[in-house]
Amino acid sequence: MPDRLGQHAIVVGGSIAGLMAARVLTDFFDQVTVFDRDPIEAGSAVHKSVPQGNHLHALMLGGQQVLSSLYPGFTDRLQVLGAIRFRFGKEAAFFFPGGKSYTPTGSVREPRDLGIDGYSQSRGLLEYCVRQCTVELTNLRFEGGTAVQGLTYEHGQVRGVRLNREGGAESVAADLVVDAGGRGSRAPRWLTEMGFRAPEESSIGCDFAYTSAKFRTPANYDGPEKVMLFGGPPPKYTSGAGIGQIENDTWMVSLAGRFGVYPPSDEDGFFAFAKSLPTRRFYDLIKDAERISDIFHHRFPTSVQRHYERLTAFPERFVVLGDAISSFNPVYGQGMSSAALQVRALQYLLRERATAPKADALAGLGAAYFPKAAEVIASPWILAASSDFAYPQTTGERPPNMEDGARYFGALDSIVAEDPAVHRLLVEVFQLARPLWDLTAEPLRSRVIARQEELVAKKTA
Ligand SMILES: Cc1cc2nc3c(=O)[nH]c(=O)nc-3n(C[C@H](O)[C@H](O)[C@H](O)COP(=O)(O)OP(=O)(O)OC[C@H]3O[C@@H](n4cnc5c(N)ncnc54)[C@H](O)[C@@H]3O)c2cc1C
């Protein structure tokens, strides 16, 4: 058991990132308090500040692994609550105009058991499971319906939070405050109120929208796939859809579109959009299915990254994580896993400090943490940006050397088609279980470059 780092830590926001962060903090602080402004129902439900919970929410392998390390037996609990286990490579598939495949490029046509389990469930169920696992910790208190209004600050240090309770304004002291307030985090404003600079932002104008509803899984559905994605390669196709088998014999169905091709939220429009997709398979699957929820629409104009790691001055005893640092185009399903990896980075740092204690073990925590968080965010950010900028309408800063990257990836993809081990590696990288750089590490790199040369020679022959 590591040494304690303080008496009390506070987490602002009790959604996915806040709950995981709180779990980590219970190892290092006598008491941890989580405040969420939403009154949170007991049970699996979407709460007001997380409207994205009404849409497809895939838990990537990277997030699954962190959750399993934080909460032993996590995936078993998830399954007991109704989550559906599926196998990558054979029970999750892409349906494009060229037919069914097991990679988004269509390079693998036959099912292949990659030996990796995924879990499919609604966002509400996932968050409920994480919350259950977290609130049962004896040194943790979860208070819903309580918005944090601001931070208390003295002599360069955050000292706690300010709340507005029914009885009036109140301050609660803490040795560390973690902001996991999501994309709308007030941390930039709180920093300027304390006399610091707000972080610079990078953004990618992906101009994306989802329209979603739940359907009863059709009784006559007997396909092997539990997760299905439909669409076509960019930049020609700007619309697509997804179906995830979730708890209670339900399909979570999301339509997706970009650049003005937004899926409508009325029933007739929903089905008309479904019919217009690059592949007919999706419409055929849902046309006679029973809709069992309202239809929800969500626009997502920009991915945003806040560069806390570039700040040269930052208050002591305060860190920010999750969507509050980086919020990604949802179509790639990265947000929760990126948050999980940021929490793990914080955990490692706190562990280091707890095992080599100094006079003030929390000194400079933000300065040490933000570069680590930025490192974690780099892989999903580049992966998402590379896909988004395949559309010329996308605005923002393009990643450097995109054309070289696309050529490298094309050659890698042709190796994936013939080598299941490289296919597995690709899935692990796309699922944030390994960093992007693993795709350019030796000996794979030399193999890909040789393949690139072969492909060029073939083209010019
Ligand atoms: C349409 C859509 C689909 C998505 N699909 C996926 C997917 O498939 N896979 C995936 O991994 N990710 C997906 N994401 C991203 C994912 O939802 C987020 O990355 C994830 O929810 C981030 O968690 P978070 O805890 O940082 O923030 P949030 O989930 O946004 O939670 C922030 C919490 O902070 C609370 N809060 C805010 N301010 C205060 C305050 N001042 N005081 C107290 N409480 C406060 C809010 O009430 C809220 O509960 C999707 C996003 C969208 C928009």
Side-chain angles (χ1 to χ4, degrees), residues 85-221:
R85 189 171 64 174
F86 65 94
R87 213 69 162 161
F88 283 98
K90 61 175 207 174
E91 292 177 320
F94 298 85
F95 295 85
F96 281 3
K100 179 159 95 171
S101 71
Y102 298 88
T103 50
T105 55
S107 52
V108 177
R109 294 301 184 147
E110 293 301 320
R112 221 180 225 173
D113 188 346
L114 296 173
I116 306 174
D117 285 329
Y119 295 84
S120 177
Q121 60 284 308
S122 66
R123 160 65 187 250
L125 186 113
L126 177 66
E127 193 177 315
Y128 172 59
C129 188
V130 178
R131 193 165 58 245
Q132 286 304 100
C133 292
T134 309
V135 296
E136 63 194 29
L137 298 162
T138 50
N139 60 338
L140 184 133
R141 199 169 68 82
F142 185 98
E143 191 176 319
T146 304
V148 171
Q149 302 293 332
L151 304 176
T152 54
Y153 173 74
E154 213 179 16
H155 308 305
Q157 285 190 355
V158 168
R159 297 296 180 110
V161 299
R162 285 187 285 110
L163 310 173
N164 246 351
R165 285 226 177 84
E166 269 178 23
E170 188 183 323
S171 297
V172 183
D175 301 297
L176 179 68
V177 175
V178 174
D179 178 40
R183 185 176 166 108
S185 152
R186 299 186 194 170
R189 198 175 87 202
W190 292 339
L191 283 179
T192 54
E193 284 169 3
M194 291 183 284
F196 293 89
R197 291 176 62 172
E200 294 169 353
E201 286 187 5
S202 298
S203 65
I204 297 175
C206 53
D207 193 8
F208 181 82
Y210 261 155
T211 297
S212 306
K214 289 182 187 165
F215 289 76
R216 177 93 45 232
T217 307
N220 60 357
Y221 175 73

Side-chain angles (χ1 to χ4, degrees), residues 359-420:
D360 180 1
L362 291 173
L365 183 67
Y369 167 71
F370 289 120
K372 305 247 180 234
E375 217 173 281
V376 161
I377 291 163
S379 278
W381 186 264
I382 294 171
L383 280 170
S386 305
S387 300
D388 282 337
F389 280 105
Y391 297 92
Q393 303 96 315
T394 301
T395 58
E397 201 181 316
R398 288 166 70 87
N401 308 324
M402 265 193 66
E403 287 69 24
D404 291 348
R407 271 190 293 275
Y408 186 91
F409 183 75
L412 175 71
D413 193 42
S414 83
I415 296 175
V416 164
E418 61 204 38
D419 187 337

Side-chain angles (χ1 to χ4, degrees), residues 13 15 17 36-37 47 49 52 56-58 123 148 181 323 330 333 335-336:
S15 173
D36 199 287
R37 65 182 170 203
H47 51 105
S49 299
Q52 69 265 36
L56 259 183
H57 250 75
R123 160 65 187 250
V148 171
D323 270 24
M336 298 188 296

